[in-house]
Amino acid sequence: MTIKKLLRRNELYAAVIIVILTAVIQGKSGQFFTANNLVDMVRSLIVPGMMACGLFMVIASGNIDVSFPYTAMLCMFSVTRLFQIIDYQGSVIVGFLMAAVLGLLLGLINGVLAAWLRLPTLIITLGTCAAYTGFTQGVLKSSVISTLPVPLARFSAATLFEVRNGVTGLGSSMPVCVILLIAVLLVTAFIMKYTMLGRGIYAVGGDPVAAERAGFHVGFIKIFVFAFCGMIGGIAGLTQVAVSGMCQINFFEGYEMTIIAAVVLGGASISGGTGTVFGTFLGVLLMKLISNNLILLGIPTNWSKLMTGILIIAGITASGYRMVMAERRVTSPILEKKDAGEVKG
């Protein structure tokens, strides 16, 4: 039974594909397992990994959010610009707290609208993403900020360690921001696995009517998951500024599709009720392996969108297949009992 359960989990297939892909890249280029490439890979996982945790919680609850990249964009530009205007010289922690609170408030808008109007959350978040983008570009008059305020510049320069490729001479450094990724992964995993709130999120994603009858507050859970996603988006936005050393509003262009694909590929059903944080991280790793290493395989980087589209289709197909098989497993015993009853009759 354990093997059967394992074979039904997307995490296994995602891990197998990752192992095969890394072996192919290493065999083709000989550069994948070099120290600087591995550090660069981890560095590229920081922001999408954080965003995927927030979105995973939303998808597990049976909802969808396409506004989180624009929440991150608004938060990162607002905080960076404010620090620049007032010439802030204090701790960078204040900036992250401000981004988290602003992101939480923006997420609350999505959550309250979803719980109150009970409209498809795709429609709601499409509206708010347009509003957040318009506010950032129109009201705040966003532009590229190449010279960061002192606290963000210091945080951007802070590293845990540096490595160098002995063959090419290329060097890479591991940013302190990776600690934020680890913290977000642990907090999300703890909530989803060890708390009643996490059980409620899965229950609402599986069947909101049954979850409400079981005593879970469906409206509160909707508000929470969107607020959490918004808060993580705010933190991730400012983290992107620190990782890249500048603030630019097109950082997150197309992120919604990439992160959704990563979460679904990691085993979360698009209809909700399933998935793990570990699987989500594997999905992000798989997406980044493809987008970051196409050049090592000799494939033009402009093919990355095609690969992303194929992965999205593959992930949704796998999710749909799991739903069909789950329904068959539920209905088969019922039909067998019914047939047995007819035979006895």
Side-chain angles (χ1 to χ4, degrees), residues 257-270:
M257 288 297 100
T258 301
I259 303 301
I260 289 172
V263 174
V264 174
L265 284 170
S269 171
I270 200 69

Side-chain angles (χ1 to χ4, degrees), residues 51-334:
M51 286 186 168
C53 286
L55 184 64
F56 160 66
M57 200 174 277
V58 174
I59 290 179
S61 70
N63 297 285
I64 195 71
D65 185 355
V66 294
S67 68
F68 65 91
Y70 307 95
T71 298
M73 176 184 68
L74 176 53
C75 292
M76 77 171 184
F77 186 80
S78 299
V79 174
T80 306
R81 185 64 178 148
L82 178 63
F83 277 13
Q84 194 177 52
I85 292 172
I86 66 175
D87 192 24
Y88 178 72
Q89 302 288 324
S91 172
V92 74
I93 296 175
V94 174
F96 278 98
L97 289 175
M98 291 172 62
V101 171
L102 179 55
L104 186 145
L105 293 175
L106 295 175
L108 273 176
I109 295 174
N110 290 329
V112 170
L113 289 174
W116 175 43
L117 299 177
R118 298 191 178 184
L119 292 172
T121 50
L122 175 63
I123 303 301
I124 292 171
T125 55
L126 278 172
T128 53
C129 80
Y132 299 161
T133 304
F135 188 88
T136 306
Q137 295 178 344
V139 178
L140 299 181
K141 301 186 184 303
S142 58
S143 59
V144 177
I145 301 176
S146 54
T147 303
L148 295 180
V150 173
L152 286 172
R154 284 199 301 258
F155 188 67
S156 178
T159 60
L160 294 176
F161 57 86
E162 295 184 1
V163 296
R164 189 167 297 279
N165 188 321
V167 177
T168 63
L170 296 174
S172 299
S173 58
M174 182 66 74
V176 174
C177 305
V178 73
I179 297 174
L180 292 175
L181 170 62
I182 295 170
V184 169
L185 287 168
L186 292 176
V187 169
T188 308
F190 178 80
I191 291 173
M192 296 300 290
K193 189 170 183 179
Y194 297 108
T195 68
M196 188 60 68
L197 176 60
R199 295 187 185 95
I201 292 170
Y202 283 122
V204 171
D207 187 339
V209 176
E212 194 163 20
R213 288 174 180 169
F216 293 108
H217 196 302
V218 176
F220 169 77
I221 288 175
K222 276 190 178 182
I223 292 172
F224 175 82
V225 295
F226 281 103
F228 184 83
C229 187
M231 181 184 71
I232 297 301
I235 296 172
L238 207 59
T239 302
Q240 179 64 55
V241 174
V243 170
S244 60
M246 62 185 300
C247 181
Q248 191 170 332
I249 63 168
N250 64 355
F251 276 147
F252 305 117
E253 184 178 347
Y255 251 55
E256 58 272 29
M257 288 297 100
T258 301
I259 303 301
I260 289 172
V263 174
V264 174
L265 284 170
S269 171
I270 200 69
S271 62
T274 62
T276 63
V277 174
F278 177 66
T280 296
F281 182 76
L282 288 179
V284 175
L285 176 58
L286 178 57
M287 295 297 294
K288 280 298 175 181
L289 273 175
I290 292 172
S291 63
N292 288 9
N293 293 281
L294 287 178
I295 192 168
L296 294 180
L297 292 173
I299 301 172
T301 54
N302 55 8
W303 282 63
S304 61
K305 288 187 177 180
L306 173 62
M307 299 299 295
T308 300
I310 292 172
L311 286 173
I312 291 173
I313 294 170
I316 293 174
T317 302
S319 177
Y321 177 75
R322 287 199 309 273
M323 289 172 59
V324 170
M325 295 304 294
E327 289 176 0
R328 287 182 180 177
R329 286 194 296 270
V330 171
T331 55
S332 292
I334 298 174

